[in-house]
Amino acid sequence: MPSPATPPPRAASEHARARRRLKARALLLSPALLVICGLLVLPLCIIVVYSFLTPGTYGGVVWRFSTESYVQFLFERDLFDDTLAFSPAYLQIYWRSFIQALVATTACFLIGFPTAYYIATLPERKKYMWVLLITVPYWINLLIRTIAMLFLIRNEGPLNHALLFAGLVDAPLKIAYTNIGVGIGLIYTYLPFMVLPLYAAIERFDFRLVEAASDLYARRWTILRRVILPLAMPGVVAGSLLVFIPSLGAFIAPDLLGGGKNLMIGNLIALQFQGSRNWPFGSAAAVILMTIVLCALLVYVRQQSKARLRQLR
Amino acid sequence: MTPSPFKTLAAAALLGLVGASGPAQSAGKLNLYNWFDYLPQELVDKFSRQHDVEVTLDTYDSNESLLARLKAGVTGYDVAVPGDYMVRILINEGMLELINASEFPNFGNIPAEYVDVYFDPGRKYSVPYQWGTTGFMVDTAVYDGDIDTLAIIFNPPPELRGRINMLKDVNDVINAGLRYLDLERCNGNPEDLRRLSDLLNDAKRHWLSFNSDGAKEVLVSGDAAVGQIWNGFGMRARAERPSLKYAYPREGITGWMDNLVVLKGAPNLDNAKLFLNFMLEPENAAILTNFARYTAGVSGTEPFLDEEMKTAHEVNYPSSAPPPEFVPPCPDNVIRLYDRIWTNLLK
Amino acid sequence: MKPPRSRDLKRYPGFGAVTWACLVFLYGPLLVIALYSFNEIRSITVWGGFSLHWYAKAFNNELIQRSTWNSLVIALCAASMATTLATAAALAVIRHRRFRARETCIGIINLPLMVPEIVTAIASLVFFVLVGIPLGVGSIVLAHTVFCIPFAYLPISARLEGIEGYYEEAAGDLYADSRRAFRHVLLPMLMPGVLAGFMLAFIISLDDFIITNFVAGPGASTLPLAIYGLVRTGLTPEINAVSTLLLLVSVIFVILSCLLGRKRYPAGH
């Protein structure tokens, strides 16, 4: 028996091993964390700082503290006398982007849910094929997918030619260069982002519950609403976020499909760093966008922990 | 990582895209930063061959984005092609290399009226590239009325509504609006600007899109029946859709001159100067003109020009139209006001 | 339970139709753009006969050649770095089940997925300018590496989850030191995950437009930038041809990556 003064050799080696493991873990983790913190978190902090500075006339910043960017976001300085008047101009842009993103997310859900459900209930072999089919567009260049859509729906494009030829319409449908065009573009580019998490959630689903519900004389659509949908909720939330966040900051679809006529948040930010050369205002717009996204993520985290609690119960 | 069949396969698949392997090595380099679709490959190759220089070409779509990129700290370009007022701004900002073009062997090819220009008297920083006008074109197959008025854009006849493309350029849009309202250029008067802003926001209902690089394509494809466009680009559009006609609005038209400049801290200063001198050669200026279809800022190009250039409506200024107006850079406060109107318009 | 009834219960009328419509919606535009890349005439709306000459034109386009080369170099560098970093991080996170800040670490690794791309783009631009990193191929590689990490991390960590810890323990019992245990036991089993992660990171880097658009410098035009430039000046069949090729590369990569990820058991050992 070892005396209490000298620790047991086993424990000592245990202790040394634990320390080695700790060192190994730090060594393995630190490069990735350093890179992300140094090249993403730090720059994001700089953006926050920049949003409180004064713009230089031809771009860049002047290191003088100012809240003008945030004031400008809500108010317009009068052209005459510098008095402030509430101006919804920029709020409108955010509101429009928000609505566009919301509509896109809802539409993606309405198309995505039946699709994910259908695939999840297929036999094993077919399932894999369908998942692959949905996954492939997910990885195809966003730019190319948007171009493909623009190509298809433009006034003189194949879709309108086909519709005219079939006699379904008298004049070409004006979809390209409108908000509807942007909406279709967003749905098209982000649909797989919705289907895949939904599928993952439904696939784990225990269909004996449906049988149980049906034995209790629940109707089909009631089962869908009351049993399946709540259980698929984590997938619904994840999918919605994956569609909503990129839609909110979308840049390519509004630019190419919207004809650059109606700004969305992404284009507003880009414009401040390109044409308008107002870096602080662009930074402020980015900070506000980030705040909205953070709120959406918080909802997600709360939902996740709620779901986990439910599982534990 | 150890090499794997997958990586080899992937590399092979992608190399297929490149066709040949990487870029070839040359004695010197030259990095050009030019407007999109504004320099024929033929000239790049010719310069490359003559001086054994490897040329890379990147493009931008407006004077403002050139300035924004340079201000953002983009370095490494040797030569850029800013418009007249932008040359002035770049000089004031100390972003150009002093080159004293008068020492160039080909300096004598620049006509006297293009030497002492308002933006660079004596040509210390720049040499002429092309000059032209910014007007608009109308598809006469869609509308055959009088097109020589800005009302086509700001108060369009029914058949043109919703089929108008504007250049994505704050100055081109605002100056056209100011002319239509018969107001001063570089206008800081709040009352005038309010009228302008109202006019633009009202006319926007009839506009299809804001697009500069696609200004030709929207007209050629027929998506737009009216489009703000630069005259040479318009001539190229007409080659593909003959029913297009360039307008000379009686309210006035913007004239501009693009210039070759060497950017401060250019890594290949000597090659940059060689290139500027090369472009002042009448034959080369003519090759450029035949491609871009504007007017050269160099004399002696006539023998090399296409027959078509001598009669084309876009480059031969009708005597009935008012002379083109060159708009100098506006004061800072006006630029700010313009930016606000512009963002407000696009919102 | 009567199997036919239970299967019937799972089905909902119309869901199959929606799924097929979804498939048509996803692939229709891509097929149309591919189809017109073979169009003989320049028109992008009228069919003028089969031809490959737009591909020839795309291959001979100097800008496309140069930017494809840039894209490949950038994607190769960024994906290699991201994969290395992600593999190390995954080993730490998955192999050490419980430690404080584990959730935070996973959060940070996945952070690039949460930030809207436009914000990442301007943040990177402002940062590079502020600290004086010249904009060019180097800056693009750095920016790409960051947002490729989570994409590489995903399949690697998934694979690692599937490998039981006792493989290493067994190796340890056979007196292999931990380095050798890693090299000869764990790494070969992990390899399919690492490869899948590399491929996804590669594709993500190859495809990126927004971030690249902001942090690119002289002569560092990538293929998406070149395509965007071409599109802005007008949709020509040349763009269809380049797009179709890039599409094909993506499809091949994704399918390979999926096949690798699907294999449950490591080959060899």
Side-chain angles (χ1 to χ4, degrees), chain A residues 1 17 25 41 48 56 62 79 104 107 124 168-169 171 224 245 247 257 262 271 288:
Chain A
M1 265 322 235
R17 239 172 88 184
R25 192 168 70 212
V41 179
V48 176
V62 178
L79 294 173
E124 230 23 59
L168 290 173
V169 292
L224 186 69
I245 293 179
S247 297
L257 289 168
N262 289 317
L271 186 67
I288 294 167

Side-chain angles (χ1 to χ4, degrees), chain B residues 100-305:
Chain B
N100 286 324
S102 54
E103 292 162 11
F104 288 4
N106 286 337
F107 183 75
N109 296 336
I110 307 177
E113 70 259 40
Y114 298 145
V115 172
D116 277 317
V117 281
Y118 82 88
F119 49 88
D120 181 18
R123 292 285 179 184
K124 292 189 175 65
Y125 295 92
S126 64
V127 300
Y129 188 70
Q130 292 264 286
W131 71 267
T133 56
T134 308
F136 60 90
M137 284 190 118
V138 179
D139 192 338
T140 52
V142 177
Y143 177 75
D144 56 3
D146 173 26
I147 63 165
D148 286 336
T149 166
L150 284 169
I152 293 279
I153 287 177
F154 294 105
N155 186 17
E159 53 266 60
L160 296 177
R161 286 182 188 161
R163 301 193 61 186
I164 301 172
N165 176 59
M166 301 296 285
L167 289 174
K168 200 171 189 167
D169 184 306
V170 49
N171 291 314
D172 285 333
V173 172
I174 285 185
N175 285 334
L178 289 172
R179 286 195 189 98
Y180 182 67
L181 293 175
D182 197 20
L183 300 171
E184 288 283 302
R185 246 62 71 211
C186 279
N187 200 322
N189 179 339
E191 203 42 56
D192 288 358
L193 288 183
R194 192 157 291 161
R195 276 179 64 202
L196 173 77
S197 185
D198 290 345
L199 172 77
L200 296 179
N201 280 308
D202 182 58
K204 189 187 165 194
R205 290 181 291 139
H206 306 308
W207 297 347
L208 174 73
S209 53
F210 289 95
N211 195 343
S212 291
D213 358 19
K216 184 183 99 190
E217 188 62 22
V218 283
L219 287 169
V220 171
S221 73
D223 280 350
V226 178
Q228 256 198 322
I229 199 163
W230 306 288
N231 58 340
F233 213 33
M235 187 167 163
R236 288 164 66 189
R238 184 166 56 86
E240 291 175 48
R241 196 178 183 100
S243 58
L244 292 170
K245 191 167 182 222
Y246 193 70
Y248 286 95
R250 47 186 156 277
E251 294 91 345
I253 192 166
T254 299
W256 47 260
M257 172 171 263
D258 285 336
N259 307 272
L260 291 160
V261 297
V262 179
L263 297 170
K264 196 91 179 181
N268 311 293
L269 185 58
D270 293 334
N271 287 338
K273 287 183 179 170
L274 270 180
F275 183 72
L276 263 55
N277 188 54
F278 170 84
M279 291 305 289
L280 291 177
E281 199 77 57
E283 191 184 342
N284 298 335
I287 293 174
L288 170 64
T289 308
N290 285 334
F291 173 80
R293 306 248 156 205
Y294 301 100
T295 309
V298 172
S299 45
T301 55
E302 288 76 16
F304 307 104
L305 286 183

Side-chain angles (χ1 to χ4, degrees), chain A residues 76 89-90, chain B residues 197 201 339-347:
Chain A
E76 190 170 17
Y90 295 113
Chain B
S197 185
N201 280 308
D339 269 346
R340 206 185 288 173
I341 293 172
W342 182 241
T343 313
N344 202 35
L345 179 67
L346 292 182
K347 69 168 189 281

